[in-house]
Amino acid sequence: MRAQSSATAVASIAVATPAPERPGFGTLQAALGVVAFSLTFPATAWGLEGFGPWSLVAVRSVLAAVIAGVALLALRVPLPARRHWPGLAVVGAGVVLGFPLLTTLALETSTTAHAAVVVGLLPLTTALFSALRVGTRPSRTFWIAALAGAAAVLAFTVQQSGGALTTADLYLFAALLVCAAGYTEGGRLARVMPGWQVIGWALVLCLPLTVPVAALALAHEPVRLTAHSVTGLLWVAAGSQFAGLVVWYRGMAAIGIPKASQLQLAQPLLTLVWSVLLLGEHLTVAAPLTAAAVLVCIAVTQRSRG
């Protein structure tokens, strides 16, 4: 009887705890998350062609929560332990509500190139939050490379936007802080539960707020359904808000929050590429030079030990 109880306990632990993954596969998953996130700003710009900012953010969160809720119910995933709910609330406040709303408000008056500044600073901010929250201590080489990469991306994106600070920048810097907090807490939770469940439960947790906000916003903001607006809405809901965060959190759990966050140094440049292809924006000759500098920084941070 005692042996049977022990076996049951071991089985329960195996189900509750995600199996460790190879670092290479974790890097691939984090990179896929970066690609998904790099499309967020262009897709948001498309969505704003037919939706108001509050409608776009609320509806995307509701749609993503429906996808997550169906998956959680279909797989009969049990409710998270009570000790995990505060962390899920931080994830919800940061990446489900705060970052999408603040960046969407910024994109009403800012270009995608200008908004990319927040993504350029996000890896460094996430690493700082991680050091404070999780207790990670990256090496000095890691920090030098991270600061150099962040400085390169920041200089590029500010130069692209003319160097002027606007009201949109206040939204962007606030988004930077709340998103870094959400990423850090999500990466910590992804060590004890599958990454898709982290974002899934965070989305479901926000439903009591997002559903009434969506209904109210749709009633007061004009809606114009076009191919662009619908495609943008579907991408930010299914791609950025759910699928991208699933692979992102799994990647962070596998290779660590600081190193995963440095992969995002490439995100502003990817966003600018999508902006050219999807929005018709133009890049300067500084883009390939910045890309080379960022890739060097990413290589150094991935090889450094901390």
Side-chain angles (χ1 to χ4, degrees):
M1 180 68 69
R2 183 173 299 176
Q4 183 178 0
S5 300
S6 299
T8 302
V10 171
S12 300
I13 294 174
V15 170
T17 305
E21 296 177 351
R22 292 170 297 176
F25 189 52
T27 300
L28 174 61
Q29 291 183 100
L32 289 175
V34 170
V35 173
F37 299 153
S38 71
L39 282 160
T40 300
F41 288 167
T44 300
W46 274 8
L48 286 172
E49 293 179 11
F51 295 90
W54 291 89
S55 298
L56 182 62
V57 172
V59 172
R60 71 179 271 186
S61 298
V62 171
L63 290 178
V66 170
I67 297 172
V70 169
L72 292 168
L73 287 174
L75 297 176
R76 298 181 179 180
V77 177
L79 289 172
R82 182 178 299 179
R83 66 181 183 278
H84 296 323
W85 284 107
L88 291 171
V90 173
V91 175
V95 303
V96 175
L97 301 176
F99 186 79
L101 177 59
L102 292 167
T103 54
T104 300
L105 291 173
L107 284 171
E108 283 197 296
T109 58
S110 174
T111 65
T112 55
H114 191 81
V117 68
V118 70
V119 181
L121 293 175
L122 188 56
L124 178 59
T125 310
T126 303
L128 289 172
F129 269 77
S130 174
L132 294 173
R133 178 69 177 89
V134 186
T136 55
R137 293 294 182 271
S139 66
R140 181 178 299 178
T141 301
F142 177 97
W143 284 115
I144 292 174
L147 288 170
V153 172
L154 178 60
F156 175 73
T157 51
V158 168
Q159 185 274 332
Q160 285 290 102
S161 63
L165 295 179
T166 64
T167 303
D169 290 307
L170 298 178
Y171 290 131
L172 293 172
F173 286 121
L176 171 71
L177 296 177
V178 298
C179 189
Y183 278 175
T184 300
E185 200 65 23
R188 185 186 67 83
L189 288 173
R191 296 177 179 178
V192 296
M193 68 173 70
W196 75 272
Q197 292 183 22
V198 174
I199 185 58
W201 286 118
L203 285 163
V204 171
L205 181 64
C206 292
L207 272 176
L209 180 61
T210 55
V211 168
V213 170
L216 187 62
L218 288 172
H220 288 82
E221 292 181 337
V223 174
R224 187 167 60 92
L225 298 181
T226 64
H228 275 186
S229 64
V230 173
T231 301
L233 171 63
L234 292 178
W235 177 258
V236 293
S240 303
Q241 192 85 71
F242 184 68
L245 285 169
V246 168
V247 292
W248 175 245
Y249 282 142
R250 287 176 64 92
M252 282 199 296
I255 66 177
I257 296 173
K259 286 191 175 182
S261 69
Q262 299 314 303
L263 293 175
Q264 280 195 307
L265 287 170
Q267 187 173 322
L269 304 178
L270 288 174
T271 297
L272 292 175
V273 171
W274 298 128
S275 298
V276 170
L277 297 177
L278 301 176
L279 303 177
E281 295 185 3
H282 300 281
L283 299 181
T284 66
V285 294
L289 298 178
T290 307
V294 168
L295 290 176
V296 170
C297 293
I298 291 175
V300 173
T301 58
Q302 292 299 299
R303 291 180 178 275
S304 67
R305 296 180 180 182

